[in-house]
Amino acid sequence: MLLLVRCEHPVLPLQVWRSMRDAGSYRDILAALVVLAGLAACGSGNEIIEGPKNVTALKGSEARFNCTILRGWKLIMWALKGTVVLSITPTEPIITNNRFTSASYEEGGNFISEMIIHDVQLNDTGQIKCSLQNSDRDGSAFLSVQVMGRLFIPEGSLVVMEDKPCNVTCRALGWTPLPRLSWEIGVPVSHSSYYSVLEPEDLQSAVSVLALTPQGNGTVTCVAEMKGLHVHESVTVNLTVVQPPLESSYQSEIRKSANMKTNKDTSGTKLKSGNENYGYSSDEPRTTKTASLPAKSSESSVPEQRGSRQPHQGSDQHQLGPASRPQVSFNVASPKKVRNVTLV
């Protein structure tokens, strides 16, 4: 039995179904399957097998989208945010903007059309659509564009004190979306932590603050990682650790000692301004001391006493005037006590 099927009638002929119903033969069933395969082949020229996939691209880079189509197509159209930017015929592409070009491949008997967007810009973010002429089917995807801004540490290289807490600030300006900020610490520390917040006046900027207590020289690195892309930016600064200055308590003790010495010197000066008692002798052992008295007219000496008084040396008849005082010499090298003697 020979069946002729026209492609414009995607309905199985009535006589085939009647034949299958009445005969129920294997030959009739096989014939029906051949008819169905022919019907599917009639529409193969307007069939998209697989549409493009979502892409995340960095500003200034390239974005590529693929659309797999059955053979027999007449015109492929690529649109960005509803506007056709590239058309492709079986013989050549129709390019209206040099930022949008095409490439083509063969895979498993199917045709793959690729659209390439060069120098991707932030305003390219939106829907990408692949469609065929005279077909209501299409394949769509979404293009996300990310912008890498500036990353810097305002303070630059830092000089900090050993074992003293300090902060290092990192700023990310002009990023879309905002990156994830983290730190790499290349110095010995006893403590470290950090937090990141948005800049209140710029939604495309963020700041991260690293708090640490350094114990030696080294480096700290601020790292910004893009979300959805294996791309990151980093900035590194040197950290120089110095010994802290003298403690304030030590300096206070030095000043206190200096003040006490000054007060002692002042007190000694005041004591020396009084009158000395030249006739006073301490009971404690002391070295021999000679006190010179003014207006002396004669000289007497009192030797060590041992129970009896020795006679004076020289003239017994020499008289001292009432205004005259003798020079008295005391020998106190011996542990014996010696009293003052006044000669008349």
Side-chain angles (χ1 to χ4, degrees):
M1 180 178 63
L2 181 62
L3 296 177
L4 298 176
V5 180
R6 300 178 60 184
C7 291
E8 58 266 24
H9 296 288
V11 179
L12 191 66
L14 180 59
Q15 59 269 29
V16 175
W17 290 109
R18 286 177 179 176
S19 176
M20 292 175 61
R21 182 190 63 184
D22 297 340
S25 65
Y26 175 77
R27 185 180 61 183
D28 292 338
I29 294 175
L30 181 60
L33 293 177
V34 172
V35 171
L36 293 176
L39 292 174
C42 290
S44 62
N46 291 324
E47 187 73 21
I48 295 178
I49 299 176
E50 184 178 4
K53 300 182 184 302
N54 296 338
V55 171
T56 299
L58 190 64
K59 178 185 176 182
S61 66
E62 292 183 351
R64 296 173 177 263
F65 298 89
N66 291 336
C67 190
T68 304
I69 307 167
L70 289 174
R71 286 183 175 278
W73 56 273
K74 299 299 181 182
L75 182 65
I76 302 173
M77 294 173 290
W78 286 95
L80 171 61
K81 295 191 293 186
T83 302
V84 175
V85 293
L86 178 66
S87 299
I88 303 170
T89 68
T91 57
E92 61 181 356
I94 303 173
I95 299 176
T96 57
N97 188 325
N98 290 331
R99 284 209 309 125
F100 302 91
T101 62
S102 69
S104 60
Y105 314 92
E106 294 282 344
E107 185 179 86
N110 298 321
F111 180 83
I112 299 177
S113 175
E114 181 178 50
M115 179 181 70
I116 307 170
I117 304 178
H118 303 271
D119 191 21
V120 173
Q121 298 299 308
L122 184 60
N123 58 8
D124 291 334
T125 299
Q127 187 185 54
I128 299 292
K129 183 179 291 187
C130 170
S131 62
L132 301 176
Q133 187 181 33
N134 300 326
S135 175
D136 57 355
R137 294 192 61 184
D138 58 45
S140 62
F142 195 85
L143 171 61
S144 300
V145 180
Q146 297 187 358
V147 179
M148 181 180 289
R150 296 175 55 211
L151 185 71
F152 62 98
I153 297 177
E155 297 89 348
S157 297
L158 300 173
V159 178
V160 296
M161 288 188 294
E162 183 179 3
D163 281 330
K164 295 295 182 181
C166 64
N167 293 337
V168 184
T169 303
C170 178
R171 297 185 182 277
L173 304 180
W175 295 69
T176 303
L178 289 174
R180 185 178 71 89
L181 297 176
S182 60
W183 291 86
E184 296 177 356
I185 302 175
V187 295
V189 297
S190 60
H191 167 78
S192 67
S193 63
Y194 72 92
Y195 66 91
S196 301
V197 295
L198 298 176
E199 289 279 20
E201 299 179 356
D202 188 354
L203 298 180
Q204 293 183 326
S205 302
V207 59
S208 183
V209 179
L210 170 65
L212 73 163
T213 304
Q215 295 182 318
N217 298 333
T219 61
V220 291
T221 302
C222 178
V223 180
E225 184 177 356
M226 301 291 292
K227 299 177 181 178
L229 293 174
H230 297 290
V231 178
H232 69 275
E233 180 74 10
S234 64
V235 58
T236 301
V237 295
N238 293 322
L239 217 65
T240 302
V241 176
V242 298
Q243 295 293 328
L246 294 176
E247 301 293 336
S248 58
S249 59
Y250 175 76
Q251 293 177 342
S252 177
E253 291 296 328
I254 293 297
R255 288 193 296 268
K256 182 178 179 181
S257 177
N259 291 337
M260 291 178 62
K261 183 178 180 181
T262 302
N263 293 337
K264 183 177 180 180
D265 293 343
T266 304
S267 176
T269 302
K270 291 180 179 179
L271 289 175
K272 289 182 179 180
S273 63
N275 297 325
E276 293 189 21
N277 182 1
Y278 293 96
Y280 171 75
S281 175
S282 173
D283 291 341
E284 298 178 359
R286 299 177 61 183
T287 57
T288 304
K289 178 179 179 182
T290 301
S292 298
L293 302 180
K296 53 184 175 293
S297 56
S298 65
E299 201 173 286
S300 297
S301 175
V302 180
E304 181 179 354
Q305 304 293 319
R306 294 186 181 271
S308 61
R309 182 174 179 179
Q310 299 295 329
H312 291 286
Q313 301 294 327
S315 173
D316 292 341
Q317 303 300 322
H318 187 75
Q319 299 292 328
L320 297 178
S324 299
R325 293 183 181 179
Q327 178 177 351
V328 182
S329 176
F330 301 95
N331 186 356
V332 292
S334 170
K336 297 287 185 175
K337 294 183 179 181
V338 178
R339 301 299 180 181
N340 295 335
V341 176
T342 303
L343 301 179
V344 180

